């Protein structure tokens, strides 16, 4: 009798037309998969729109049902949903399940040939992949995957019966195709080895075992399980396969794969497993080991389980994408349940499994779990039982489970592992090359094992030679592979398990070279990739965003997939460049309100609202949190020819670098930005970056280099930008008269053009030079009108210095303390430290050197924490002066010695001269040289 409806392949209707629209096909498939059962409307909306139904889904669904009724009879509306009123045997998937159940009953009754024919009839119903032309990941997940798994299991069971009937030679070809499509199914390899052995092809059987072992070790890092190893031993011994066990008490079961002989390290996680199992021994204990691909989760689970004794034995199951029902069938058989006694329904299998484990103390290893729903039915219930689950996801929804995140090996463990695999003598002979290999492998156990294996197979290679081959990023994944496994294969498993949007997202991230990033970059949630183990959460950054990072080999794999599937990073970076530039420009504007020269001249009007301190502080924190990402992105843009984006981003970052004294990043991005601006032929952009370079040189005390950069920028611009360069030239002039002329010229241009920020900056520079309180107060008011608290803080510090120089100590302290309050409100630690140094000078003038020393020490701590050597040297000088005021010569000598060292490293001759002068005073008081 033929079936009327087919889902085991493309959708099929006997003597009828299949619906054309994709959503109509999905709807019909959902009804057929639950033939004669009510399917709730909510469930249908979920599968038709893939868990994202629109607001109008209910009414649209009614239209779809109406259209289907014109093609298919029997679709009925029932309370709460719809059903299709057809015999279940008229749908191929239901007939398939019935025939499989009947074949298993015949096998249990000893009717082997009848059972084999029953399985063969069931498998003949398949015409391709289940739901092949149905576009619903929800249906594929809940129906197609279990059906495909049952198909494979039924095939394996039919082959086993054929072998009992002596048909080994007939099934070899079929089994080779099966292991080619599913290389990690150990039972398929077992049947292939047995079939070859039965057909008298002993050498091919042994070769098949070696192929299986190599695949399992390379892909999973595990040795073959007991059933596969037994099949190999039977071939070696020339024995026939044993008959199936009929059940009964077989003693403690032990199905763990062999422990890895060269296992090293991992003491923290092994101690955690033992401690947790002991502390909670009165109840079943469920532990989840999660982490990125290749970090050794399976090896740790097997190693730990091997060392744990349980009276009723150890079970092992490799999960992957297998549905729980299929895994339960294996576990029940392992526990002694006869084949014919395994219930056909998944719920019945769960009940039987729980009953059989309720009075047993077992160790159960569930390897490579996909999600919580897959694991829950497999957890043993007996008190004292221990379940070790490995997964790329933490399985946060798994009740009563404790999770441990596994990372890569530490340095000593990684070197030790390389030595175990490649040979300790070779590693000891080339320690530096060994460390390079460890670094290039990212301390990842799987990568280290492959690198060590390559060295072991190539005794003529030096470690330095392999390190050189690994050094080329474009070839690293090729080098870290053996056959079709290794790092690329491990990462590919996770990649293939992603939905299409997540695959696209991972490829997009492959365009980035940054070590970490937040979700805003692509405007989408990154948590699905973290759940898949391809990204790792780094926690919340200082701006309150969750940051994600990844292993360097994962980054290379993502870049490889991007190149292979989309042609490279150019389009991805071009698509996100606008959003990155605009977000960074806004953050820069918070540091320098109304600052022109960002590519858009923006001036705040007199009536504009003042920026709130909280927002200003948040924007500074955001820039700080994103610094490493944005620095890397400047290089990414330039590498793919997005030169306009590269130089603009480099320019936008300069106030962040100045605020945080990130001079190395400042140098690197400025060099890249200048190259990009010149490549783009953008003279104005080149001038902006030269101006920023001058600010950097001035911050480093290199005034001649700053002047050279500014003079190089002058011919490139005119008007307001030329005035800004003139202003900065005044700041690095050695002659006060020339500096004053520059400030006056710039001020005139700014006032004529109505550039209010330029005017404020010029007034402050002129007031500080002339020691003109009126000009400084004008600049203070101008910054306040602009809504620029950081500019206001700088003007207050200049006023404080002016009052200090005039002996007006109360006014000086008032200005500097106002400055400090602004810095602390904004969270600007380095400017705060600069103000503390002026407070130290005021305290000395007030005759309180102890207070001065306290301010200097507080400033020194900040400068040291931020790596600001010049600031640290100045703080040490302030500390030495305060110590001399207190006649504490020892403290002065110590501070001066450290300051001289900093000035020497900075090549700061002026600073060294000041330190020498103070040292002379200390020598005079102590009576000896320092």
């Amino acid at each position: 009798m033929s079936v009327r409806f087919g889902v085991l392949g493309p959708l099929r209707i006997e003597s009828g037309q299949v619906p054309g629209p994709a959503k109509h096909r999905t709807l019909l498939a959902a009804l057929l998969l639950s033939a004669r059962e009510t399917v709730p409307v909510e469930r249908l909306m979920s599968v038709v729109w893939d868990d994202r139904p629109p607001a109008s889904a209910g009414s649209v669904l009614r239209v779809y049902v109406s259209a289907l009724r014109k093609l298919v009879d029997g679709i009925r509306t029932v309370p709460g949903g719809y059903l299709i009123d057809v015999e279940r045997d008229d749908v191929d998937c239901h007939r398939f399940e019935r025939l499989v159940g009947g074949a298993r009953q015949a096998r249990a009754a000893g009717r082997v040939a009848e059972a084999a024919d029953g399985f063969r009839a069931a498998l003949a119903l398949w015409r391709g992949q289940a739901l092949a032309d149905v576009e619903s990941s929800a249906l594929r997940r809940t129906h197609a995957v279990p059906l495909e798994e049952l198909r494979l299991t039924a095939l394996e069971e039919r082959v086993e019966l054929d072998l009992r009937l002596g048909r080994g030679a007939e099934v070899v070809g079929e089994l080779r195709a099966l292991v080619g499509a599913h290389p990690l199914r150990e039972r398929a390899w077992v049947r292939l080895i047995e079939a070859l052995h039965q057909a008298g092809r002993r050498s091919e059987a042994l070769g098949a075992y070696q192929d299986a072992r190599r695949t399992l070790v390379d892909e999973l890092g595990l040795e073959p399980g007991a059933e596969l190893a037994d099949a190999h031993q039977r071939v070696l011994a020339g024995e026939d396969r044993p008959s199936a066990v009929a059940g009964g008490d077989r003693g403690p079961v032990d199905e763990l794969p062999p422990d890895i002989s060269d296992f090293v390290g991992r003491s923290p996680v092994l101690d955690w497993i033992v401690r947790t199992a002991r502390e909670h021994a009165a109840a079943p204990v469920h532990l989840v080991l999660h982490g990125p691909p290749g970090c050794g989760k399976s090896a740790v689970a097997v190693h730990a389980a091997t060392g744990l004794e349980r009276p009723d034995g150890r079970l092992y199951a490799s999960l992957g994408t297998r549905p729980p029902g299929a895994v339960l069938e294996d576990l029940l058989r392992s526990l002694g349940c006869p084949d014919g006694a395994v219930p056909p329904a998944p719920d019945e299998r769960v009940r039987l499994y729980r009953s059989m484990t309720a009075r047993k103390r077992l160790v159960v290893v569930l390897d490579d779990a996909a999600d919580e729903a897959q694991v829950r039915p497999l957890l043993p219930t007996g008190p004292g039982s221990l379940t070790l689950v490995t997964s790329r996801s933490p399985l946060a929804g798994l009740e009563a489970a404790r999770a441990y995140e596994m990372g890569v090996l530490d340095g000593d463990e990684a070197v030790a592992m390389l030595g175990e695999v490649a040979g300790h003598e070779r590693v000891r002979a080339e320690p530096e090359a060994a460390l390079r290999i460890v670094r290039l492998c990212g301390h990842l156990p799987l990568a280290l094992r492959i690198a060590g294996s390559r060295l072991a197979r190539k005794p003529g290679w030096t470690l330095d030679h392999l390190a050189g081959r690994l050094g080329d990023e474009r070839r690293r994944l090729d080098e870290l592979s053996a056959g079709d496994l290794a790092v690329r294969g491990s990462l590919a498993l996770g990649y293939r398990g992603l939905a299409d949007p997540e695959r696209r997202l991972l490829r997009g991230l492959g365009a980035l070279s940054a070590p970490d990033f937040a979700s805003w970059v692509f405007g989408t949630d990154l948590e699905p990739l973290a759940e898949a183990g391809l990204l790792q959460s780094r926690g919340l950054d200082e701006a309150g965003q969750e940051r994600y990072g990844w292993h360097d080999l994962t980054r290379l794999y993502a870049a490889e997939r991007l190149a292979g599937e989309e042609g490279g990073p150019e389009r991805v970076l071009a698509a996100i460049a606008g959003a990155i530039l605009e977000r960074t420009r806004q953050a820069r504007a918070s540091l320098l309100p109304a600052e022109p020269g960002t590519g858009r001249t923006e001036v705040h009007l007199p009536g504009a609202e003042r920026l709130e301190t909280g927002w200003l502080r948040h924007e500074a924190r955001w820039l700080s949190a994103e610094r490493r990402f944005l620095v890397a992105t400047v290089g990414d843009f330039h590498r793919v020819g997005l030169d306009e984006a590269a130089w603009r981003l480099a320019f936008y970052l300069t106030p962040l670098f100045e605020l945080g004294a990130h001079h190395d990043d400042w140098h690197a991005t400025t060099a890249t930005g200048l190259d990009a601006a010149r490549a783009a032929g953008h003279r104005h952009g080149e001038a902006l970056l030269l101006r920023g370079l001058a600010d950097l040189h001035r911050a480093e005390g290199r005034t001649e280099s700053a002047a050279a950069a500014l003079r190089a920028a002058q011919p490139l611009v005119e008007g307001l930008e030329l005035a800004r360069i003139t202003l900065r030239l005044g700041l690095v002039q050695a002659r006060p008269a020339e500096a004053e002329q520059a400030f006056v010229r710039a001020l005139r241009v700014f006032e004529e053009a109505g550039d209010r920020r330029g005017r404020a900056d010029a007034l402050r520079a002129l007031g500080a030079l002339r020691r003109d309180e009126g000009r400084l107060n004008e600049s203070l008011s101008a910054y306040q009108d602009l809504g620029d608290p950081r500019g206001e803080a700088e003007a207050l510090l200049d006023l404080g210095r002016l009052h200090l120089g005039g002996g007006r100590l109360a006014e000086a302290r008032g200005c500097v303390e106002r400055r400090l309050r602004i810095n602390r409100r904004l969270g600007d630690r380095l400017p705060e430290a600069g103000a503390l140094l002026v407070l130290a000078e005021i305290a000395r003038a007030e005759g309180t050197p102890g207070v001065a020393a306290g301010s200097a020490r507080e400033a020194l701590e900040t400068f040291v924490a931020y790596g600001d050597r010049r600031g640290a040297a100045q703080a040490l000088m302030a500390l030495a002066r305060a110590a001399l005021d207190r006649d504490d010569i020892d403290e002065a000598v110590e501070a001066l010695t450290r300051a001289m060292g900093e000035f020497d490293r900075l090549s700061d001759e002026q600073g060294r001269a000041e330190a020498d002068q103070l040292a002379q005073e200390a020598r005079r008081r102590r009576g000896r040289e320092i």
Side-chain angles (χ1 to χ4, degrees):
M1 181 178 67
S2 63
V3 293
R4 292 177 54 199
F5 302 98
V7 296
L8 300 180
L11 199 62
R12 175 185 172 192
I13 302 176
E14 187 183 63
S15 67
Q17 180 182 355
V18 174
K23 287 184 168 50
H24 292 195
R25 292 198 302 275
T26 301
L27 175 58
L28 177 58
L31 293 170
L32 291 171
L33 287 163
S34 301
R36 285 206 162 179
E37 296 176 2
T38 299
V39 186
V41 169
E42 294 76 11
R43 171 66 179 157
L44 289 172
M45 291 191 299
S46 176
V47 300
V48 170
W49 281 278
D50 241 345
D51 297 325
R52 295 182 180 87
S56 59
S59 59
V60 175
L61 187 68
R62 288 192 290 274
V63 174
Y64 291 170
V65 170
S66 177
L68 279 182
R69 282 172 171 156
K70 297 175 183 177
L71 300 175
V72 181
D73 294 333
I75 299 177
R76 293 169 41 199
T77 303
V78 294
Y82 298 92
L83 67 76
I84 186 166
D85 190 8
V86 299
E87 293 294 334
R88 289 177 67 82
D89 229 39
D90 285 342
V91 185
D92 59 3
C93 64
H94 301 304
R95 186 181 296 188
F96 168 69
E97 291 175 333
R98 180 183 64 78
L99 289 173
V100 168
R104 287 173 171 171
Q105 289 178 350
R107 180 185 60 193
R111 302 191 300 274
V112 177
E114 179 185 336
D117 290 341
F119 280 121
R120 193 169 284 106
L123 292 165
L125 295 170
W126 285 77
R127 297 169 289 107
Q129 288 189 338
L131 304 175
D133 59 349
V134 175
E135 299 176 8
S136 170
S137 60
L139 272 186
R140 285 196 296 272
R141 185 171 59 247
T142 55
H143 290 280
V145 171
L147 283 167
E148 293 281 359
E149 180 61 32
L150 182 57
R151 176 191 190 182
L152 293 174
T153 303
L155 177 57
E156 291 170 348
E157 293 178 16
R158 195 220 75 212
V159 167
E160 182 181 14
L161 296 173
D162 284 337
L163 290 173
R164 292 192 197 179
L165 295 168
R167 300 170 180 168
E170 299 173 22
V171 298
V172 166
E174 192 175 15
L175 286 167
R176 287 201 187 278
L178 180 60
V179 297
H182 304 279
L184 299 181
R185 290 184 73 90
E186 289 195 46
R187 185 162 290 169
W189 284 105
V190 170
R191 299 296 173 253
L192 174 59
I193 291 168
E194 291 173 343
L196 288 166
H197 184 36
Q198 189 179 90
R201 296 153 68 175
R202 186 168 180 268
S203 62
E204 291 181 57
L206 294 173
Y209 173 78
Q210 294 302 326
D211 291 341
R213 180 183 179 278
R214 185 165 52 251
T215 298
L216 293 170
V217 170
D218 288 344
E219 290 284 357
L220 302 177
L222 295 175
E223 293 289 339
E227 189 177 6
L228 187 52
D230 288 347
H232 180 229
Q233 288 300 319
R234 287 195 298 274
V235 176
L236 289 173
E239 300 174 358
D240 293 333
R241 66 189 304 274
S243 59
V245 176
D249 186 6
R250 304 175 298 170
V253 64
D254 191 347
E255 295 189 338
L256 288 181
D259 194 9
I260 294 174
S261 60
D262 49 19
F263 188 94
V264 296
R266 298 300 195 185
S267 296
V269 62
L270 294 172
D271 292 345
W272 174 77
I273 292 170
V274 172
R275 184 175 63 255
T276 308
R278 183 174 59 247
E279 290 174 355
H280 302 276
V285 178
H286 312 312
L287 306 180
V288 178
L289 307 179
H290 65 100
C295 73
K297 303 179 291 292
S298 300
V300 168
V302 170
H303 185 76
T306 301
L308 292 169
E309 294 295 336
R310 289 294 186 273
D312 298 304
R314 306 177 182 93
L315 296 175
Y316 174 87
S318 178
L319 304 188
T321 59
R322 300 179 69 195
V327 180
L328 279 169
E329 182 176 2
D330 291 345
L331 293 175
L332 288 169
R333 287 175 176 170
S334 298
L335 290 169
C337 182
D339 288 348
V342 176
D347 289 347
E348 294 176 3
R349 292 180 181 179
V350 173
R351 286 194 290 272
L352 179 58
Y353 178 70
R354 289 173 177 167
S355 175
M356 293 184 73
T357 60
R359 293 175 177 81
K360 293 183 182 291
R361 294 181 63 207
L362 296 160
V363 176
V364 180
V365 177
L366 303 175
D367 200 14
D368 193 23
D371 54 35
E372 295 89 340
Q374 184 188 37
V375 172
R376 284 192 190 97
L378 312 178
L379 299 175
T381 56
S385 287
L386 171 67
T387 308
L388 291 173
V389 185
T390 72
S391 177
R392 300 184 182 193
S393 163
L395 305 182
L398 193 62
E399 298 82 357
R402 295 166 177 81
Y404 189 103
E405 182 174 9
M406 287 182 55
V408 297
L409 298 171
D410 65 30
D412 291 341
E413 290 177 335
V415 172
M417 181 176 183
L418 185 64
E420 286 286 345
V421 182
H424 288 293
E425 290 184 3
R426 296 174 72 180
V427 169
R428 283 194 293 267
E430 297 181 79
E432 292 184 4
L435 289 174
R436 283 176 59 206
I437 291 172
V438 165
R439 179 178 58 80
L440 292 169
C441 289
H443 296 234
L444 191 72
L446 178 58
L448 288 164
R449 179 168 297 282
I450 294 162
S453 298
R454 295 197 69 188
L455 288 169
R457 291 196 301 269
K458 299 280 188 177
W461 279 15
T462 64
L463 273 68
D464 185 66
H465 175 73
L466 178 59
R469 296 173 69 103
L470 292 173
D472 184 353
E473 279 197 353
R474 296 166 299 178
R475 291 176 45 82
R476 192 173 304 160
L477 289 176
D478 293 326
E479 296 295 334
L480 291 174
S481 58
D484 60 350
L485 38 100
V487 173
R488 182 183 282 112
S490 179
L491 292 167
L493 287 174
Y495 179 71
R496 288 195 295 266
L498 297 173
D500 286 341
E502 279 73 41
R503 289 189 193 181
R504 189 162 52 250
L505 177 58
L506 185 73
R507 293 195 301 270
L509 290 170
L512 307 176
S513 63
D516 55 57
F517 28 76
S519 294
W520 69 271
V521 178
F522 282 90
T524 189
D525 187 12
L526 298 178
E527 192 59 27
L529 295 182
E531 288 286 331
L534 295 168
L535 297 182
Q536 287 78 52
S537 173
R538 301 284 192 249
L540 300 182
D541 60 27
E542 56 195 290
Q545 308 170 117
E546 184 160 14
R547 300 200 75 75
Y548 295 87
W550 50 3
H551 194 278
D552 198 45
L553 295 175
T554 310
R555 177 184 65 81
L556 293 179
Y557 179 78
E560 183 180 272
R561 297 312 323 140
L562 178 64
E565 298 183 38
E566 300 184 37
E570 293 82 358
R571 286 195 301 172
V572 172
L573 291 170
I576 61 176
I580 291 174
L581 287 172
E582 181 58 21
R583 182 66 185 89
T584 311
R585 188 197 65 77
Q586 291 174 5
R588 175 193 171 94
S590 75
L591 299 183
L592 297 172
E595 194 264 349
T598 60
R600 312 170 177 191
T601 300
E602 295 191 353
V603 178
H604 285 200
L605 298 175
E609 294 183 3
R610 295 185 60 177
L611 298 169
E612 294 184 3
T613 299
W615 178 74
L616 290 171
R617 184 170 56 246
H618 176 268
E619 292 298 280
R621 288 176 177 170
W622 181 87
L623 270 173
S624 180
E626 297 294 346
R627 176 173 60 88
R628 292 200 305 171
F629 167 75
L630 295 171
V631 167
T633 304
V634 172
D636 294 339
F637 286 158
H638 183 42
R639 272 190 295 277
V640 300
L642 296 174
D643 293 319
E644 176 87 8
W647 78 253
R648 285 191 182 278
L649 185 57
F651 174 69
Y652 292 165
L653 291 173
T654 53
L656 164 67
F657 299 147
E658 186 170 14
L659 187 65
H662 303 297
H663 291 181
D664 290 343
D665 289 340
W666 199 348
H667 275 293
T669 54
T670 299
T672 303
L674 280 169
D675 287 344
R678 288 162 181 159
H682 204 298
R683 292 166 59 85
H684 187 72
E686 184 180 351
L688 291 175
L689 286 157
L690 285 169
R691 168 156 65 90
L693 181 60
D695 290 341
L696 170 58
H697 288 322
R698 185 160 54 89
E700 293 176 331
R702 300 162 59 196
T703 55
E704 291 183 5
S705 297
L710 291 167
R711 283 192 291 270
Q714 282 180 313
L716 301 174
V717 290
E718 57 188 17
L720 284 172
E721 184 54 35
L722 182 58
R724 279 184 282 278
I725 290 172
T726 300
L727 175 64
R728 282 169 170 76
L729 271 170
L731 293 174
V732 296
Q733 286 288 350
R735 298 185 180 88
E738 292 179 4
E740 184 174 6
Q741 288 175 5
F743 296 155
V744 170
R745 285 199 306 272
L747 178 60
R748 185 165 53 247
V749 173
F750 292 139
E751 288 182 333
E752 289 174 357
D755 185 334
R756 296 168 63 227
R757 165 163 286 283
R759 175 177 176 272
D761 291 340
L763 284 170
R764 184 165 70 84
L766 198 57
L769 177 68
R770 290 177 174 174
R771 305 186 66 76
D772 184 338
E773 184 178 354
R775 290 290 194 182
L776 287 174
N777 277 318
E778 277 188 82
S779 74
L780 178 63
S781 297
Y783 287 124
Q784 290 170 337
D785 290 341
L786 288 170
D788 181 4
R790 291 187 171 90
E792 180 183 349
E794 293 304 314
L796 283 167
L797 193 63
D798 286 339
L799 278 167
R801 289 193 181 104
L802 178 64
H803 290 311
L804 175 60
R808 298 182 295 278
L809 302 182
E811 291 89 336
R813 178 172 289 279
C815 288
V816 177
E817 287 179 346
R818 284 174 61 191
R819 147 80 178 231
L820 271 174
R821 286 194 292 273
I822 294 173
N823 294 149
R824 287 167 177 165
R825 219 169 48 233
L826 295 172
D828 293 349
R829 296 288 309 284
L830 282 174
E832 175 190 341
L836 286 169
L837 292 184
V838 181
L839 267 188
E841 295 180 48
I842 295 171
R844 286 184 64 227
E846 292 172 336
T848 55
V851 175
S855 295
R857 285 194 193 93
E858 188 177 349
L860 178 61
E861 288 177 4
T862 299
F863 287 129
V864 170
Y866 278 75
D868 185 343
R869 285 185 157 177
R870 191 170 304 278
Q874 294 298 338
L876 287 165
M877 292 288 287
L879 198 57
R881 293 186 185 99
L884 287 174
D885 288 347
R886 300 196 321 272
D887 285 326
D888 189 340
I889 307 303
D890 288 340
E891 183 175 349
V893 167
E894 181 186 351
L896 284 169
T897 302
R898 291 174 62 190
M900 289 175 182
E902 294 291 357
F903 286 131
D904 287 342
R905 281 186 284 272
L906 292 165
S907 300
D908 186 340
E909 295 180 3
Q910 182 179 347
R912 176 60 196 245
E914 292 178 10
D916 284 340
Q917 187 175 357
L918 270 186
Q920 289 176 11
E921 174 64 17
R923 282 198 297 270
R924 185 185 65 79
R925 296 192 189 186
R926 175 177 272 183
R928 67 179 182 86
E929 291 191 359
I930 62 171

